[in-house]
Amino acid sequence: MKRKLRWYQSIQFKIAFVFAMMLIITLEIVGAVFVQQMESQNLRTFKNQISLQRYVSTNLTNELSRTSTTSANKQIRILLSDANIPSTANTEIRVIDNKGTIRGTNEANNQTIVGQKTTDNAVKKVIYNNSGGSESTTYDAETNQYYYTKITPLIKQSSGSSTPVGVVYIRASLKSVYNSISQVTTIYLLAAIIAVGLGLILSLVISRAITVPITEMKEQTLRIARGDYSGQVKIYGNDELGQLAIAVNNLSVRVEEAQESTESERRRLNSVMAHMTDGVIATDRRGNVTIINETAVEFLDVDSDQAIGQSILDILNIRKQYTLRDLLEDPDEIMLDFSTDDHDLILQAYFSLIQRESGFISGLACVLHDVTEQQKIDQDRKQFVSNVSHELRTPLTSVRSYIEALSDGAWKDPEIAPKFLKVTQEETDRMIRMINDLLTLSRMDSGTQKLNLELVNLNELFNYVLNRFDMIIDSNEQNERSDKHYTIKREFTKRDLWVEIDTDRFTQVLDNIMNNAIKYSPDGGVVTCRLIETHNNVIMSIADQGLGIPRADIPHVFDRFYRVDKARSRAQGGTGLGLAISKEVVQSLGGKIWVESREGHGSTFYISLPYEPYDEGDDLWDEV
């Protein structure tokens, strides 16, 4: 909807207003400086005019030094009468001796004050304090005038010494000075008003020359917004506005071409999406569905027209588990179970952000993949592992106990039998470890594995695990039975990190990763263990200098029974379940585990756990 602009919102008014304000401010500044300078100059001139000539001051000094007061006062009166003082200044001059007695004045009507003591405090201060004189400007409320007062000491020089004999008191009206300043100011204000008026007229003419082309370009852009690309903007000249008009005309042509291309791509995209075997949903930045293909409609059993505009959280029925912010901040895979009594349907939803080149998030894209059959196979495999583990654990434990009894010396052949039994015992131990691992995974998959959570100092726990491996190193060096030597390097933060974990399970995770690091490290290798703290996570890493993991195998290292090098792994005695168990344990603690590796450059396993900084004043005990 087009909104009508008010007169004070138009560019034409704004240009004229800004121009007028700049002109007024400039004139005000110039006027203030001009008036101030003129006032200073006039005051200096005025002060020079009312100052006594040097010979008058010298004669006054000589007369005050005479012993005959009567004749001296007569001469002082003559000197003051002959002083060249402008009559317009209404100047009063008094001569006072060093005893404070008025000896003369230039006012013919005020000769009675001669011989009286002065009552002016400023005069007394100059006389009695022997100061260097003073001058001031005062305002008289009765006459409504400003007066300039100047007190000059009279000094007699004799035999190299200076003796004050009195002062000259001058008081003059500044009316003539300020009258001239007022007249000049009035003239300047009239000139400023005329200049501002002419400036406003000129600014209106200039602003209209600018706003008319802009208005035409605005109308053209509105037509483009409505889908009408036929109009053209009139070009008035080759200036910036003319170039802008040319750009708008070119834009009209380009937008029309882009619109046609977009429509063509949209039709092509709709054709591709209609024949995809995966469901596709696209949303705007508020999470409302804008695109949904036929496969997604069939998966979700919704009407395509009704789905458009609805929230993706409602379409996928995940509003209780997730918010739109969760999907935007951490787009990940979500397993959706739409199974009913009639048929099974499990969808794996892959989310990704729709971003512009600037990084602005304009929406979400969701791909729905049917993994019903895959989930069924995986569930069958998990059930098989659970059944086999339960079936084999008891007999294998019995065999292990029986062979241990025989290996203690019950077997007849004292040379071959112990070796044979030892190998059998090691293989049995390996089978039992595998079965225990399978049972652990089974319990984790079924959700029956209980975690004994407690607040643990992660620095001490990590050190405790590494100390055990250090003891193994020392034991191997003393016995000289190990064919591989390695060292463990620690890089820990000095701050104690308290994290709520299951100590036994997490120790098992560290043991699994450390065992792998030692197994695949070369002779003389260094295993580097780090512990750092981030904003809301604590991160542990264990890095080895082994052969590394091929890039194609990295996504599968945490899969069950997955081996990068099957022959080497079996020779090392692994079950293929250690990292899978580690992943399940870390995830059950709310953390993440991942690996970074380059073939031939070793591997680094990372564990991230949620962490809230603990202060010594916090209470570690749960509230009862």
Side-chain angles (χ1 to χ4, degrees), residues 358-615:
S358 61
F360 177 78
I361 299 176
S362 57
L364 274 173
C366 176
V367 178
L368 302 174
H369 183 63
D370 187 356
V371 294
T372 306
E373 189 65 26
Q374 178 183 344
Q375 289 294 310
K376 186 176 182 302
I377 295 173
D378 191 48
Q379 185 64 31
D380 292 342
R381 182 175 65 84
K382 293 176 182 178
Q383 186 64 36
F384 168 78
V385 172
S386 179
N387 293 337
V388 170
S389 300
H390 282 290
E391 290 293 332
L392 294 180
R393 185 178 185 185
T394 301
L396 285 175
T397 304
S398 300
V399 170
R400 178 171 178 261
S401 301
Y402 181 71
I403 293 178
E404 284 180 349
L406 293 177
S407 64
D408 289 338
W411 197 254
K412 295 181 180 181
D413 193 332
E415 295 182 359
I416 301 177
K419 297 180 181 180
F420 175 79
L421 292 175
K422 183 176 181 181
V423 173
T424 306
Q425 181 181 357
E426 291 174 351
E427 291 298 317
T428 304
D429 288 340
R430 181 179 175 184
M431 291 292 292
I432 292 176
R433 285 196 304 271
M434 182 181 69
I435 293 174
N436 287 333
D437 291 342
L438 288 171
L439 285 173
T440 300
L441 286 173
S442 177
R443 285 192 292 267
M444 289 182 175
D445 292 336
S446 61
T448 58
Q449 180 69 39
K450 295 183 178 179
L451 296 176
N452 298 319
L453 298 178
E454 58 181 341
L455 201 59
V456 177
N457 187 329
L458 207 57
N459 309 60
E460 295 181 359
L461 178 62
F462 204 0
N463 264 318
Y464 168 77
V465 174
L466 298 181
N467 288 339
R468 289 196 287 107
F469 284 92
D470 282 335
M471 293 177 63
I472 296 175
I473 296 174
D474 296 337
S475 176
N476 289 338
E477 290 177 353
Q478 292 176 3
N479 297 329
E480 299 181 354
R481 293 182 298 176
S482 175
D483 58 349
K484 183 192 294 186
H485 298 278
Y486 60 92
T487 56
I488 298 175
K489 180 181 178 182
R490 294 171 171 85
E491 294 181 4
F492 287 7
T493 177
K494 296 182 179 180
R495 177 174 177 177
D496 291 339
L497 304 178
W498 293 84
V499 182
E500 194 175 45
I501 58 174
D502 185 329
T503 305
D504 294 335
R505 292 297 176 190
F506 196 74
T507 301
Q508 182 182 5
V509 172
L510 296 178
D511 284 338
N512 287 337
I513 299 176
M514 282 297 299
N515 280 323
N516 286 341
I518 292 172
K519 286 178 184 178
Y520 298 105
S521 289
D523 187 23
V526 178
V527 178
T528 304
C529 302
R530 297 182 177 90
L531 177 61
I532 62 174
E533 167 196 359
T534 62
H535 177 62
N536 53 3
N537 291 92
V538 57
I539 298 178
M540 311 171 67
S541 65
I542 299 175
D544 62 57
Q545 298 176 334
L547 299 177
I549 304 172
R551 179 178 297 181
D553 294 321
I554 289 179
H556 305 287
V557 294
F558 295 102
D559 294 348
R560 301 172 189 185
F561 299 105
Y562 188 85
R563 302 171 187 269
V564 176
D565 185 347
K566 296 179 174 57
R568 180 176 175 87
S569 297
R570 289 195 179 92
Q572 296 284 2
T575 63
L577 297 173
L579 292 179
I581 293 175
S582 299
K583 180 180 179 181
E584 295 289 341
V585 171
V586 172
Q587 289 182 345
S588 66
L589 296 174
K592 295 181 180 179
I593 183 171
W594 70 95
V595 62
E596 294 179 358
S597 179
R598 276 200 309 160
E599 196 169 4
H601 293 79
S603 304
T604 303
F605 284 82
Y606 295 89
I607 300 174
S608 174
L609 295 174
Y611 168 67
E612 293 183 2
Y614 162 72
D615 295 327

Side-chain angles (χ1 to χ4, degrees), residues 255-271:
V255 170
E256 185 177 10
E257 294 175 352
Q259 186 70 17
E260 294 176 355
S261 176
T262 301
E263 289 297 328
S264 175
E265 291 296 329
R266 184 184 294 275
R267 290 191 293 269
R268 184 182 305 172
L269 177 61
N270 291 337
S271 176

